[in-house]
Every structure is written in structure tokens, then in C-alpha cells.
Amino acid sequence: MTATPEAATESPTPATEPIPAAEPQPAPGATPPRRPPAARAAAELIGTAALVAVVIGSGIQATELTKDVGVQLLANSLATVFGLGVLILLLGPVSGAHFNPVVTLAEWWTGRRGGPGVTIREAAVYVPAQIVGAIAGAILADAMFGKPLVEWSTHDRSAGHLPLGEVVATAGLILLVFGLARTDRLRFAPVAVASYIGAAYWFTSSTSFANPAVTIGRTFSDTFAGIAPGSLVGFIGAQLIGAMVGLALVALLFRPGPEAAE
């Protein structure tokens, strides 16, 4: 939208007057703003709790409304897309909206030599907050639907091809988040990350957990979105491998060229 000549005449802008830059909005993979540590930890706990409540709650609701597994997965994935996008948009300016230990650890790894990113001490606060939040979110979802507050999931996900789905899902997530950071497009993270997770629900065999904290939380609910504790080690191991693959792809694809290095 451009100004009319009249508007330009009425409100001239001196050539020497600097135009204030828009304040950058952090997102996953960005350096967290210097908020108080307690606020950042609370944002990670609350955000992860809300995310797990969305995932499990929508799964419970879907199974109560229809017996069609495809429709159940569609409802579950759509709710996750909308919920995750809103949470990143809301809490990104507070903590960076990681809600995911592999994102936090990947950011620490990329910034460990003095670059932007969380410090090891901050990561040591973020990760427990995310895990506690995920467990709290599972309990909250069960409580909202009148389920036992803690009921270990019996949904076995130990089939050998499922961890491969988690490697792919997590590698893609890390590539997306840090690719956006390297290309200065983190403002698109709420839409891009939520859209990727929604798509990965459907194109990965594991339905894209891609998050160790969320995986742990989902063991506490014996519902559509749950995962049996016996499947936990395989999924989390695959997610860690996926994070390493994702970081390798970021280094390969987004390595600064000679002109950037100069």
C-alpha cells in the first residue's frame, strides 16, 4: 500500500531521519531473547504441555466421534497443525518456542563456539522443562476427557520400520528450522514448522513424533496418540539420529559461500 501525493506532502519524512527497524521475532532455532530465565523455562514448560494436550486431546476426541482411523488421523493432524502454529507465534518471543529437546540441543551444538544459540546451562533448564511439560500435558488431556490421569499406553510402536520414519521426520524438522535461520526467514516458522509436522503425520510411517519430550509425554496416555513405554527407547534413539542427520544436511546445504565469508 503506497502513500498518496497529498499524504506525502502533509507528512514529509526528512531524508536524514532514520526509519526504525522492526523488532525481530524469535522462533525455533533462533537465539532466545534475554527474558528472565524463569519466564523462558515457564514458556517451554507451558508450550510443551499445551502441545501434548492438543495432540492427545484431539486424538481422544477424534476416536469418540468416529471409528474411521483415517478420519481420526486427519482430525489429530489438523488440530496439531493449528495448535503448534499458534503456540510458536505466541511463545516464540519469550523462549524461542523450541518445545523439543532435539531443537534445543541442536541449537546449543551450532552455537557452542560463541555463535547465536542457547548455552549449555540454558539447555539444561529447557530440556527438563519440556519433559515435565509434556507429562503435564498428557495428564491434563486425560483429565479433560474423564480418562485415568496416568495410564501407561499399550499402543505398541516397536515395528522395525517405524524408527526410520522418526529419523526422517526429525531430520526434516531440524533441516527446516535451521535452514530458515540460516536464510533469515524465521518469521515464517509458525506456519512452516506447523505445516511440516502436519504433512509428516501422513508421509512418515511413525506419524512424526519428532520430539523426545512429546514422545515421553505420550506414554502416559493409553489413547489414540499414545506410545507404549517399550517403544520409547527406539523412538528417542531414532530422533537423536535424525537430529544429527538434519544438522549435517544444514551444514551441507547452507554453508556460507566465499562472498559471505568475506
Side-chain angles (χ1 to χ4, degrees):
M1 183 171 169
T2 58
T4 62
E6 293 80 3
T9 303
E10 293 170 2
S11 304
T13 301
T16 57
E17 181 180 336
I19 299 175
E23 182 180 349
Q25 296 299 310
T31 305
R34 294 300 93 188
R35 307 285 183 179
R40 282 181 274 152
E44 287 298 301
L45 188 153
I46 293 168
T48 312
L51 175 59
V52 173
V54 167
V55 171
I56 293 179
S58 62
I60 296 172
Q61 185 78 284
T63 56
E64 292 183 352
L65 293 175
T66 179
K67 299 301 180 184
D68 188 316
V69 178
V71 175
Q72 291 171 357
L73 185 60
L74 178 61
N76 193 211
S77 61
L78 285 175
T80 302
V81 167
F82 294 136
L84 179 57
V86 168
L87 288 169
I88 294 173
L89 187 64
L90 175 65
L91 297 175
V94 181
S95 68
H98 296 187
F99 314 145
N100 188 335
V102 295
V103 172
T104 298
L105 293 175
E107 186 176 302
W108 163 73
W109 179 260
T110 59
R112 70 193 186 283
R113 294 175 181 171
V118 295
T119 66
I120 188 62
R121 294 179 67 178
E122 289 169 329
V125 173
Y126 271 39
V127 172
Q130 292 157 354
I131 294 172
V132 171
I135 295 171
I139 294 172
L140 175 61
D142 285 339
M144 286 192 293
F145 286 91
K147 305 291 184 182
L149 297 185
V150 175
E151 186 175 22
W152 298 114
S153 176
T154 57
H155 192 162
D156 180 69
R157 299 179 190 261
S158 60
H161 61 282
L162 298 181
L164 177 59
E166 281 301 285
V167 172
V168 172
T170 310
L173 175 63
I174 295 299
L175 175 60
L176 172 62
V177 168
F178 289 88
L180 290 175
R182 293 286 179 92
T183 55
D184 194 27
R185 293 186 294 175
L186 278 171
R187 62 189 178 280
F188 298 118
V191 172
V193 173
S195 298
Y196 172 78
I197 292 298
Y201 257 82
W202 291 92
F203 76 75
T204 64
S205 57
S206 61
T207 65
S208 183
F209 285 49
N211 185 328
V214 168
T215 305
I216 292 171
R218 288 166 73 164
T219 65
F220 283 75
S221 180
D222 191 20
T223 56
F224 175 80
I227 175 173
S231 304
L232 198 62
V233 173
F235 264 55
I236 293 179
Q239 290 157 1
L240 294 174
I241 293 171
M244 291 187 283
V245 172
L247 285 175
L249 290 173
V250 171
L252 173 66
L253 297 174
F254 298 100
R255 183 185 301 276
E259 64 282 358
E262 295 173 1

